[in-house]
């Protein structure tokens, strides 16, 4: 039976919860706000299925299907509105539309009412805007792998998008290859604590005296490279700050301050990937081919399998794209190959998460820059933008 003695050894993929024939495993939140499986002893029949499906104990691998050297493509959707509403180039939405148009199902992450994140499976196009966009905190899988299996067994096409560890968990849970399943993961920096995210939202709700009604990471009002976080409030007020001024992004990107323990030693960064398609931000594309970066978002697409290539063929006329043969594709995307570094700040945050308010934690462990530094950053960004435009 699974026994998580060291938290580094669990990604919360929930394959164990989904496979358990007796529903004897529940996910429980720890002090840091991350979920881990707990076995209900009275229900457990010690069949060992939970250990068998755990991708941390044995990885899913089908080397014949997935290539060591994926085709690399830079792309964005031709639909400007969707591109602006997406985190990178909006390629995920085009893949999803293709599946939905063919009577299939899509599975992805949405915000819940309490600003936690969960995966849902749907065949409704109206759900797509909620699934679109990165939510920079860990999503709950709940029992969605079981729902996916049911649809696959009924011969529906299903597109599933999740973190590499979630796709590993799904593949291990399913046990066999399904021709009608297509998986998509993304280059992943790591999953933040839902508890920290809730504290962040509540701190802003207090400041704005209103409930948050919409959260958008990587809002593109000031450009994709600006990494702005935008939050709309019920009273009509809006919060928008770039990556150098928004404390949550500073904590995530500059201090690695509140990620899941397993993310600091991620086991799923290697090739071959086990998703058919891997998506990401094509950071550094301006150095490879400046004409492919107009600061509105360019996706990197890795086609890891024949199935991935085939699906891309079907959306080719919906996206602007170019195959990239450069060896520098990951040079500016540090998380494509390496895990983020564990930091002292992370230890500080979680030792004090229940003692200090969000603003106190931020001030102490992941401070926002002074107005003088902000001004310098602002000028530097302006100059970068001008240079980017001149290169085009
Ligand atoms: C936590 C996280 C960290 C990331 N780190 C990097 C990075 O370091 N480098 C990089 O190049 N790209 C990273 N990405 C990927 C990037 O942000 C985009 O999601 C990706 O490029 C696809 O963009 P898109 O415009 O095609 O589609 P989008 O519409 O932006 O993609 C959304 C897809 O991502 C899924 N998704 C969103 N949030 C979550 C979540 N919390 N858990 C699981 N699935 C989720 C949705 O279900 C949807 O299928 C990260 C994404 C996430 C969620």
């Amino acid at each position: 039976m699974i026994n998580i003695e060291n938290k580094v050894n669990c990604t919360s993929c929930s394959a164990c919860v989904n496979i358990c024939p007796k529903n004897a495993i529940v996910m429980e939140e720890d002090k840091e706000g991350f979920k881990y499986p707990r076995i209900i002893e009275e229900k457990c029949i010690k069949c060992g299925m939970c250990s068998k499906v755990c991708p941390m104990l044995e990885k899913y691998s089908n080397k014949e299907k997935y290539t060591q050297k994926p085709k690399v493509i830079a792309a964005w959707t031709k639909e400007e509105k969707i591109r602006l509403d997406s985190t990178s180039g909006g390629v995920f939405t085009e893949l999803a539309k293709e599946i939905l148009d063919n009577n299939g199902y899509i599975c992805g992450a949405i915000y819940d009412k309490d600003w936690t994140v969960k995966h849902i499976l749907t065949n409704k196009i109206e759900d797509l805007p909620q699934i679109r966009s990165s939510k920079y905190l860990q999503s709950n899988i709940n029992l969605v792998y079981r729902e996916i299996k049911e649809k696959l067994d009924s011969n529906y096409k299903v597109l599933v998008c999740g973190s590499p560890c979630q796709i590993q968990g799904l593949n291990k849970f399913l046990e066999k290859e399904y021709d009608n399943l297509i998986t998509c993961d993304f280059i992943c920096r790591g999953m933040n604590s839902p508890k920290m995210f809730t504290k962040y939202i509540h701190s802003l709700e207090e400041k704005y005296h209103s409930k948050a009604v919409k959260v958008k990471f990587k809002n593109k009002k000031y450009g994709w490279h600006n990494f702005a976080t935008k939050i709309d409030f019920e009273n009509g007020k809006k919060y928008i700050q770039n990556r150098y001024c928004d404390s949550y992004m500073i904590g995530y990107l500059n201090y690695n301050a509140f990620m899941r323990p397993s993310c600091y030693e991620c086991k799923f960064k290697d090739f071959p990937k086990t998703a058919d398609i891997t998506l990401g931000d094509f950071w550094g594309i301006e150095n490879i081919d400046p004409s492919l970066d107009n600061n509105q978002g360019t996706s990197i697409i890795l086609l890891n399998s024949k199935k991935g290539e085939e699906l891309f063929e079907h959306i080719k006329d919906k996206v602007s794209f170019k195959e990239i043969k450069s060896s520098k594709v990951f040079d500016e995307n540090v998380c494509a190959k390496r895990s983020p570094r564990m930091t002292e700040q992370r230890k500080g945050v979680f030792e004090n998460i229940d003692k200090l308010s969000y603003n106190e934690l931020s001030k102490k462990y992941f401070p926002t820059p002074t107005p003088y530094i902000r001004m310098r950053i602002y000028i530097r960004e302006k100059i970068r933008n001008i240079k980017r435009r001149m290169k085009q």
Side-chain angles (χ1 to χ4, degrees), residues 34-68:
F34 294 109
K35 294 203 169 166
Y36 293 88
R38 180 177 68 80
I39 296 179
I40 306 166
E41 294 294 340
E42 311 82 72
K43 285 188 171 182
C44 175
I45 53 166
K46 301 190 172 35
C47 63
M49 296 291 279
C50 49
S51 309
K52 220 174 121 201
V53 291
C54 177
M56 293 297 267
L57 294 176
E58 195 190 337
K59 272 200 219 174
Y60 172 84
S61 124
N62 188 338
K63 291 195 170 127
E64 283 151 37
K65 284 213 146 175
Y66 302 92
T67 167
Q68 192 77 30

Side-chain angles (χ1 to χ4, degrees), residues 78 109 116 155 173 193 222 247 263 302 333 365 392:
K78 288 178 182 169
T116 55
N155 291 322
F173 165 81
S193 156
Y222 304 111
S247 60
C263 298
L302 307 180
N333 205 330
Y365 299 110
Q392 280 205 328

Side-chain angles (χ1 to χ4, degrees), residues 129-177:
Q130 288 191 79
I131 294 179
R132 186 181 302 137
S133 289
S134 291
K135 291 94 185 163
Y136 291 121
L137 62 148
Q138 184 144 49
S139 86
N140 296 319
I141 287 294
N142 300 323
L143 293 176
V144 86
Y145 295 164
R146 289 185 186 174
E147 290 176 46
I148 293 167
K149 182 172 173 357
E150 201 187 301
K151 295 298 170 209
L152 291 170
D153 287 335
S154 308
N155 291 322
Y156 286 102
K157 268 194 183 159
V158 183
L159 168 73
V160 183
C161 183
S163 61
C165 50
Q166 289 169 336
I167 298 302
Q168 274 270 345
L170 171 68
N171 279 329
K172 287 281 308 245
F173 165 81
L174 291 172
E175 269 190 314
K176 64 170 195 171
E177 292 287 332

